[in-house]
Amino acid sequence: MTEAPLLTVEDLNVVFQTARGPVHAVRGVSFELGRERLGIVGESGSGKSQTGRAILRLSAANGRVSAKRMEFDGIDLMTTSEKQMRDIRGARISMIMQDPRYSLNPVMTVGEQIAEAYLIHADATRAEARERALEMLATVQIRDPETVYNLYPHQVSGGMGQRVMIAMMLIPEPDLMIADEPTSALDVTVQMQVLALLDDMVRERGMGLILISHDLNLVASFCDRVLVMYGGRVMEVLEAGQLQKAQHAYTRGLLNCIPELDHHQDVLPVLERDPAWLTE
């Protein structure tokens, strides 16, 4: 990177205290992010989402987060006050959750929720917030913003709900977007539309983007760099275009488990995990 990184994470650890003892969800994760698209991939339980939540200090109450350094645009996220974090969340760092059905308020129209996100972070009147919300609905390619503004979450499709979530997260114009499996609940056509929209936002607004996913092919085609996680650890970091040339056995194993339409396979390979990976 030629310019100072937007986000620096060094030796991040997240431990949850449970009835069965401590669970180490994230173990010594380190990376830097500029105004680029970074993909974080791995199996379920590899620590991808917990890494994203820790950056925003949104880990569950029984979780303990520690790091040698976690800095966003010169701000120490480990020592800043909760009041300062509330100012950062949404306004400067936004997070798109996996399923909009569980993230949107069911008793408010989608337009009111987008406008509310703007009112919280901007000195604006309700009329101005409504106008801005309509503009954002158009930006995320909603065909009839006026009609959709007055719909409730249960009245919109999964793809439209995800676009509404993106509009809500983008309306404060953040510097960093964390997208946690933003397309996993969508069909392939809508997936590509949502990714194209996020790509436009990164390029036009100069944002940094962390895309959390389990889909290696999607991340390889969309992101600039890929961070591969297993058991809470980073196994490998590489350029997205070089993913097929990955060296680590875990990354190679994940790639080998992906079915290929142009090659007949009676049985897909099973990933053989090495306990040594967690001690490297």
Side-chain angles (χ1 to χ4, degrees):
M1 289 178 199
T2 57
E3 59 183 30
L6 182 64
L7 175 71
T8 300
V9 176
E10 183 179 350
D11 195 21
L12 173 65
N13 293 273
V14 182
V15 181
F16 292 98
Q17 298 300 327
T18 71
R20 297 185 178 182
V23 175
H24 296 261
V26 179
R27 305 165 183 253
V29 167
S30 300
F31 64 91
E32 290 186 345
L33 175 76
R35 296 184 183 275
E36 59 180 324
R37 301 164 299 179
L38 174 68
I40 302 182
V41 298
E43 299 169 283
S44 296
S46 62
K48 308 184 300 296
S49 296
Q50 292 304 327
T51 297
R53 288 178 176 273
I55 292 168
L56 279 167
R57 287 192 5 201
L58 291 176
S59 300
N62 65 330
R64 180 170 57 84
V65 178
S66 63
K68 288 182 181 177
R69 184 182 179 196
M70 190 156 68
E71 188 174 286
F72 166 71
D73 197 21
I75 302 169
D76 186 345
L77 297 179
M78 294 300 298
T79 60
T80 191
S81 68
E82 182 56 30
K83 181 181 182 300
Q84 289 172 312
M85 282 304 301
R86 287 197 296 270
D87 292 336
I88 292 170
R89 295 188 195 109
R92 302 209 60 197
I93 307 176
S94 287
M95 187 168 187
I96 302 171
M97 300 301 183
Q98 184 170 347
D99 194 331
R101 291 174 298 178
Y102 302 112
S103 302
L104 295 171
N105 187 333
V107 298
M108 289 178 65
T109 68
V110 297
E112 288 173 336
Q113 294 182 62
I114 298 171
E116 182 181 57
Y118 188 66
L119 285 169
I120 290 171
H121 300 292
D123 182 15
T125 65
R126 290 197 170 275
E128 290 170 339
R130 184 181 188 280
E131 190 62 31
R132 187 76 179 99
L134 289 170
E135 291 175 4
M136 284 306 305
L137 285 171
T139 298
V140 297
Q141 300 174 12
I142 297 292
R143 291 183 182 178
D144 189 353
E146 289 278 357
T147 298
V148 173
Y149 185 98
N150 295 306
L151 296 179
Y152 288 88
H154 71 276
Q155 295 176 303
V156 301
S157 66
M160 190 177 292
Q162 197 64 288
R163 293 180 192 213
V164 168
M165 276 296 300
I166 292 172
M168 190 185 307
M169 295 301 102
L170 285 175
I171 200 168
E173 299 187 356
D175 297 293
L176 170 60
M177 177 72 75
I178 302 171
D180 189 358
E181 301 275 12
T183 63
S184 63
L186 308 177
D187 62 57
V188 176
T189 303
V190 179
Q191 274 188 9
M192 299 314 296
Q193 292 173 349
V194 169
L195 288 175
L197 177 61
L198 287 173
D199 190 42
D200 288 343
M201 298 299 103
V202 172
R203 294 180 186 280
E204 293 175 7
R205 301 179 183 226
M207 293 191 312
L209 174 69
I210 296 176
L211 177 64
I212 298 170
S213 179
H214 61 272
D215 190 331
L216 276 75
N217 286 334
L218 182 149
V219 168
S221 64
F222 178 74
C223 293
D224 300 304
R225 292 187 297 131
V226 181
L227 186 152
V228 183
M229 291 187 68
Y230 168 72
R233 291 184 181 274
V234 175
M235 297 291 101
E236 193 168 12
V237 182
L238 61 164
E239 297 297 315
Q242 300 298 311
L243 186 59
Q244 293 297 328
K245 298 180 181 179
Q247 299 299 310
H248 196 281
Y250 176 66
T251 312
R252 296 301 318 164
L254 290 178
L255 291 168
N256 290 337
C257 291
I258 299 174
E260 298 181 14
L261 294 178
D262 55 348
H263 290 89
H264 177 71
Q265 291 176 287
D266 292 322
V267 179
L268 284 174
V270 176
L271 177 62
E272 297 289 339
R273 297 167 179 81
D274 187 344
W277 294 343
L278 295 181
T279 59
E280 290 177 348

